[in-house]
Amino acid sequence: MNAQNDSLDKAVPQADALANTHEVFNQATPLQDYNAFRGDTALYDAVLREGGERGVEELDRYGFETTRPEVIEWGYQANANKPEFETHDRYGHRVDQVNYHPAYHKLMDMATREGLHSSPWTDPGPGAQVLRAAKYYMHAQVEGGHGCPITMTFASVPSLRLTPSLAERWLPKVTARGYDGRNVSHHDKQALTIGMGMTEKQGGSDVRANTTRAHPVGAGGSGELYELVGHKWFMSAPMCDAFLMLAQSPGGLSCFLVPRWREDGSKNPLQVQRLKNKMGNVSNASSEVELRGAHGWMVGEEGRGVPAIIEMVAMTRFDCMIGSSGGQRQVVAQAVHHAANRAAFGETLLDQPLMRNVIADLQLEVEGSVAMTLRMARALDNLDDEHEKRFTRLGAAVGKYWICKRTPHHAYEAMECLGGNGVTENFILARLYRDAPINAIWEGSGNVQALDVLRAMNKSPAVVDTWFEELAGAQGRNATLDNAINDLKKELADPEQIEFRARDLVDRMALTMQSALLVKAGNDSVSEAFIAARLGGGHTRNYGSLPRGLDIDTLIRRANPLES
C-alpha cells in the first residue's frame, strides 16, 4: 500500500508546481531611463546643424526627464481616464467644468515649467526656436493630447502682439512658466493658457462662412470690447483661460480674445454644449460651444480677422510638424528596442534581414521629418532675413502636410514589428497609432495645406525662388535628386489643372526638400538611402522595400535609442 501511495505522489504534480506554469522570457524590457536626446542621432545632429548649440546641456537634462518611468506612466493615465464635463455645480450654478485626471495636470505643469509654451518669446536669441522644437519633440513622445493647449498658448503670442493694449495685460501671464488648472478667473491666476475657436458647423475650414456675430459694447475697433453671439463646432481645450475666435463684426470677419470669465468676475456666457468623442487625442478635451453674449476684445484690425488669427495658425501648424516627428521617433524607438530583445527562428529579430529593412526604412522617415522640422525652426529664429521668412511661408504648409500625412502608416508599420503586443492598449504604440491622424487634420487637413501652397505661390512668386535656392545647395551631388528637382521645376511651371495636381506637387516639394537637407547635412549613408528609397520610385511602396546596397547598419544604429 505504501508503495502504491509513493507511486501516486510521483505521478500527481504538487500544488506549488501547478502554480508556476511558465517562465516569462524572450520579451523586451520597458524602454525607459535613457537619454532621448543623445539617443536620437538625427535630433542631436540637427540641433547642432541648425544653431541650437547653446542648449545641448539643457536638452541632455530633458532627454532623461522625458523617459522617467513616472513621466511615461502619466501619459498612460491621462489617456486611460478621459476628461469628464460638468455643466453645473451641485447648487445649480453654470460652471462649464472639464475634469481631467491628475496625470494630465502633471503633464501640463511639466510642459509649462519647461517653457514649451513660451521660451522663444521670453528667452529669444540664437537657436531659441530650435531648442524649443527639440524639447517639444521629446516631450511629445510622452503624450500628445495635452500638447494642444501648450501649442495654442505658444502660438497665440504673435496674434496678441497685434494689439498692444491686450498684449500688455495678457502676455505676462500667458508666457509665465507655471500652470494653474483651476476653474477661476484669469485675474486670480499668475499663469494662463490660451485656446482657439475658428470652425463652425456650416463652414469648417471655410471660416469666412462663419455666422457668429460680434456687437460692439462701446465705440468698437481694435482692442475694444464686443459681445459675441453664435457657436463654435470644434474648440479644443475648453478649460483654457481665453480663446482667440473669429466672428462677423460690422466691419467684416474679425478676431477676438474671449475669456472664460468677465472683468467683473462673473461667468462669461461661453457655454460648452458637449465634449467630442474622439478616436485619438482622448486626453485632450475638444468641445462644441455656444456664445450667448460672451464678452471679447477685438484683436488686430476690424475686418482683418483671418490675417490676425493666421499668425496663430502658422505656429500651430509648425507644432503639428514637431508632434508628428516626435511620434515617428517614438514608434521607431519602440520597434527597434523590441526587435533587439526578441528572438525568433534562432536569432534576434533585429539580426534578420527583412526586419532590418523595415526598421531602416522607418528610420529614414524620421531622418527626413527631423531635418525638415529643425530647418523650419531655424527659419523661425531668423524672420528678419527675407530668405528665411519666405522659406517659412511654404515650409509650414509643405512640412505640415507631408510629415503629418506620413505618420499614420508609419505608426502602423512599427506596430507590426511588435506583433500582438503592438495592438494592445498597455503598449504605447496603440495610443500613438490612434493619435497619428490627428495632426494631419488639426489646423487644416491635406487639401487645405496643398491649396495654401498654391495660394502662397500665386500671391508671392518669390517664395518659389526661395524654395529652389534652398534646394540648389544640394545640387550636383546626387543625380537622382538633381533629376527630381528639375522635374519639380517643370511641374510647377505648368499651370494646366494645377489645383487638381496640388497634392502631387506638394509631395514632390517635400521629398526634394528633405533629400536636399539630408545631403547638406553631410551623412552620405543617410542621404543616399533616403534618396534611393523616396526619389528612386519607392515612396509609394510599403515600408521595408529598400533596395540593395545601402548602409543599413548605420540606419539601425541611428534608430536604436540605446546605441546611437
Side-chain angles (χ1 to χ4, degrees), residues 34-53:
Y34 66 98
N35 189 334
F37 176 56
R38 294 281 177 165
D40 186 346
T41 310
L43 175 65
Y44 181 82
D45 290 350
V47 166
L48 298 183
R49 184 170 66 246
E50 305 299 353
E53 301 93 340

Side-chain angles (χ1 to χ4, degrees), residues 195-384:
M196 178 168 52
M198 292 179 64
T199 60
E200 297 181 5
K201 294 182 180 74
Q202 73 287 341
S205 297
D206 183 9
V207 295
R208 295 191 183 278
N210 282 7
T211 61
T212 297
R213 309 296 303 182
H215 308 278
V217 174
S222 181
E224 296 299 320
L225 191 64
Y226 286 71
E227 283 190 349
L228 280 69
V229 178
H231 81 284
K232 296 297 168 185
W233 180 231
F234 215 110
M235 192 181 81
S236 283
M239 289 301 288
C240 286
D241 297 289
F243 306 86
L244 286 176
M245 293 187 174
L246 294 176
Q248 303 286 355
S249 68
L253 188 65
S254 303
C255 182
F256 298 88
L257 178 67
V258 182
R260 297 188 70 244
W261 298 81
R262 287 185 170 181
E263 291 297 280
D264 62 5
S266 63
K267 180 78 173 60
N268 205 16
L270 170 64
Q271 296 182 352
V272 177
Q273 303 305 298
R274 62 175 176 175
L275 300 186
K276 300 286 192 180
N277 187 16
K278 297 170 294 181
M279 59 162 275
N281 192 249
V282 298
S283 68
N284 171 44
S286 298
S287 63
E288 300 168 22
V289 300
E290 291 185 349
L291 301 97
R292 302 176 179 273
H295 281 184
W297 298 277
M298 184 176 285
V299 176
E301 299 176 21
E302 186 168 18
R304 299 277 296 167
V306 172
I309 208 165
I310 207 69
E311 299 273 352
M312 184 177 187
V313 171
M315 298 306 297
T316 58
R317 287 177 176 175
F318 175 56
D319 272 16
C320 288
M321 293 173 61
I322 301 172
S324 290
S325 298
Q328 290 179 10
R329 171 55 188 166
Q330 181 60 228
V331 300
V332 171
Q334 295 291 334
V336 72
H337 180 68
H338 172 84
N341 290 278
R342 176 80 167 177
F345 312 112
E347 59 184 346
T348 67
L349 294 177
L350 194 56
D351 288 329
Q352 299 185 23
L354 195 51
M355 180 62 80
R356 294 176 71 79
N357 193 319
V358 171
I359 289 178
D361 205 355
L362 292 172
Q363 175 61 20
L364 282 177
E365 199 69 45
V366 177
E367 299 280 354
S369 296
V370 170
M372 195 167 192
T373 298
L374 270 291
R375 175 63 186 91
M376 265 290 295
R378 174 161 65 90
L380 291 170
D381 272 324
N382 296 278
L383 291 177
D384 54 340

Side-chain angles (χ1 to χ4, degrees), residues 136-170:
Y136 195 111
Y137 166 92
M138 293 188 290
H139 188 90
Q141 295 177 49
V142 177
E143 201 283 318
H146 77 285
C148 185
I150 297 299
T151 285
M152 291 189 296
T153 303
F154 166 71
S156 71
V157 173
S159 291
L160 291 174
R161 284 176 171 172
L162 295 173
T163 309
S165 61
L166 294 177
E168 182 180 356
R169 291 158 50 196
W170 283 81

Side-chain angles (χ1 to χ4, degrees), residues 442-461:
W442 256 221
E443 310 312 330
S445 54
N447 286 355
V448 172
Q449 303 306 315
L451 293 173
D452 191 46
V453 170
L454 297 186
R455 279 193 293 271
M457 293 190 297
N458 287 331
K459 184 176 180 180
S460 178

Side-chain angles (χ1 to χ4, degrees), residues 35-41 43-65 114 123 126-128 130-132 134-135 138 374:
N35 189 334
F37 176 56
R38 294 281 177 165
D40 186 346
T41 310
L43 175 65
Y44 181 82
D45 290 350
V47 166
L48 298 183
R49 184 170 66 246
E50 305 299 353
E53 301 93 340
R54 70 182 174 102
V56 167
E57 184 176 342
E58 184 179 358
L59 293 174
D60 263 332
R61 173 191 61 79
Y62 205 57
F64 282 112
E65 182 75 9
E114 293 293 332
D123 187 24
V130 172
L131 297 179
R132 187 257 177 186
K135 189 181 284 189
M138 293 188 290
L374 270 291

